[in-house]
Amino acid sequence: MKILLIGSGGREHAMAMKLKSGPDPVELYAAPGSDALAGLGTCLPFAVEDVSGIAAWCALNRPGLVVVGPEVPLVAGLADAVRGEGVPVFGHDAATARLEGSKAFAKDFMVRHGIPCAASMTFTALEPAEAAIRAWSLGLPIVLKADGLAAGKGVVLAGSREEALATVRAFMAGQFGEASRKVVLEAPLVGMELSLHVLVDVDADHAAYAVLPPCQDHKRIFDGDQGPNTGGMGAFGPIPFLSPADLERLRRDLVEPTVAGLRKDGLRARGVLFLGVMWTARGPELLEYNVRFGDPETQVLMELLDEDLASLLLEVAEGRLRRDSVKLRPGCAIAVVLAAGGYPEGAEKDVPIALGAPEGVKVVHAGTRKTQEGWVTSGGRVLNLVTTAADLEAARAKVEGAVADVHWPGMQRRRDIGLRALNHAAAGRTVADPFL
Ligand code: AMP
Ligand code: GLY
């Protein structure tokens, strides 16, 4: 089958490897792709948001499936345009992608459908927002969210009213352009954070979904969850202290009402929903929707899935998903991000990477470029080391054993991916208990 994959990062490289590993041959195209993806297929010079260019290519070249990695093209209507050409797309319509593209829209959806989430207010003018902050009584930090897409930088946890006031002023003055002229203020949620991915196929006449194993990401740059936020420094799954009853609770409290809500609102869904969840003292609550796979959660999920990815995504793309589960491999998977010097504020680019042949791990390329001399850094998150083992402890050990084979000046990585979860499980603590 001819497949066009939209994107260029680690998520897409991991998906491409999985797509190519199935029983049927895959002729892979990637837009815009990367030098690593060029090793698996043909890269097309389209920016991810070039809706008309990509749709025209699809009309002419008739791929059997288009898989959209990032959220930006979905919000821009790429899936609608390509579907309009009669080509199956794994990726949501623009109307559905607003669940990620507008925080205010997502909060309205959650409230309308009784999905547990933090109390919030939406503002489009500065004065009432400032007044709400001065009168704030929902606890600290005050959570401020730019309504639109802001490349993962649109959420600020303000530790004081002063900081919240400064943030809301910057947002509304256009820090993220139009995306931050509408602002959501939200009460803080305290608890255990997790990433829940669900394949969803919802249309006027059916609503099907399959829940993937919950993962945990590590957002801060330094060990012990210290330092600034990043796109994610490492992930693992499944979560060892999550019980079958906990999974059932996630399904009942968050997934079911989401899928029912999509159908009630006439929102067609043909892709993945990634629910950012906080397990609070009251139970699981929804932090946010993403309409795409997480990165680096995808790298973990691709290892855990015991399915032909192309067939599975095509089932969703063609509106034929009629099962509620996917086949999984036993054990645990982990992805450790190797990041460039200077990340997350910037990224030292064009630094040559000493890349050996680390044993027992997959090397996923997230931000690299190939030169005549070899691979060099070209983004913040550069490589991921990904592996599976019988359990989390063994998976962590496998990555540790391999990491010495990859290096470059300034390389940053966390050494504690999955460590807190491992200790948590060993101590017999549950998802309702905070990390020690
Ligand atoms: P995002 O950039 O939208 O992925 O959100 C960034 C992070 O902000 C989330 O992963 C949470 O850790 C945190 N966050 C978002 N909303 C809340 C909230 N209401 N309470 C506490 N933390 C939050
Ligand atoms: N790893 C978090 C995200 O993809 O948003």
Side-chain angles (χ1 to χ4, degrees), residues 217 219 231 274 292 294-297:
D217 188 11
K219 290 260 184 190
F274 157 12
R292 50 163 178 92
D295 189 339
E297 287 92 333

Side-chain angles (χ1 to χ4, degrees), residues 103 107 118-119 141 143 145 151-157 186-190 193 219 229 274 276 278 286-290 292:
K103 303 273 189 203
K107 293 296 305 201
V143 182
K145 300 185 172 183
K153 300 195 168 68
V155 176
V156 172
L157 306 183
E186 201 171 276
L189 295 181
V190 179
E193 197 170 340
K219 290 260 184 190
N229 257 321
F274 157 12
M278 191 74 91
L286 190 58
L287 289 169
E288 57 170 357
Y289 288 112
N290 299 291
R292 50 163 178 92

Side-chain angles (χ1 to χ4, degrees), residues 30-57:
S34 63
D35 289 347
L37 282 160
L40 298 169
T42 306
C43 294
L44 307 172
F46 296 112
V48 295
E49 65 272 20
D50 183 357
V51 171
S52 54
I54 294 171
W57 186 90

Side-chain angles (χ1 to χ4, degrees), residues 98-123:
R98 290 184 73 201
L99 287 174
E100 180 166 0
S102 166
K103 303 273 189 203
F105 177 83
K107 293 296 305 201
D108 285 347
F109 180 93
M110 294 175 210
V111 171
R112 191 161 60 244
H113 299 297
I115 298 163
C117 62
S120 72
M121 290 170 274
T122 299
F123 296 93

Side-chain angles (χ1 to χ4, degrees), residues 365-392:
H365 287 244
T368 62
R369 206 163 56 75
K370 200 175 191 172
T371 67
Q372 284 192 330
E373 285 74 45
W375 294 101
V376 300
T377 64
S378 78
R381 294 186 290 178
V382 177
L383 294 170
N384 315 143
L385 300 180
V386 183
T387 199
T388 49
D391 57 30
L392 183 53

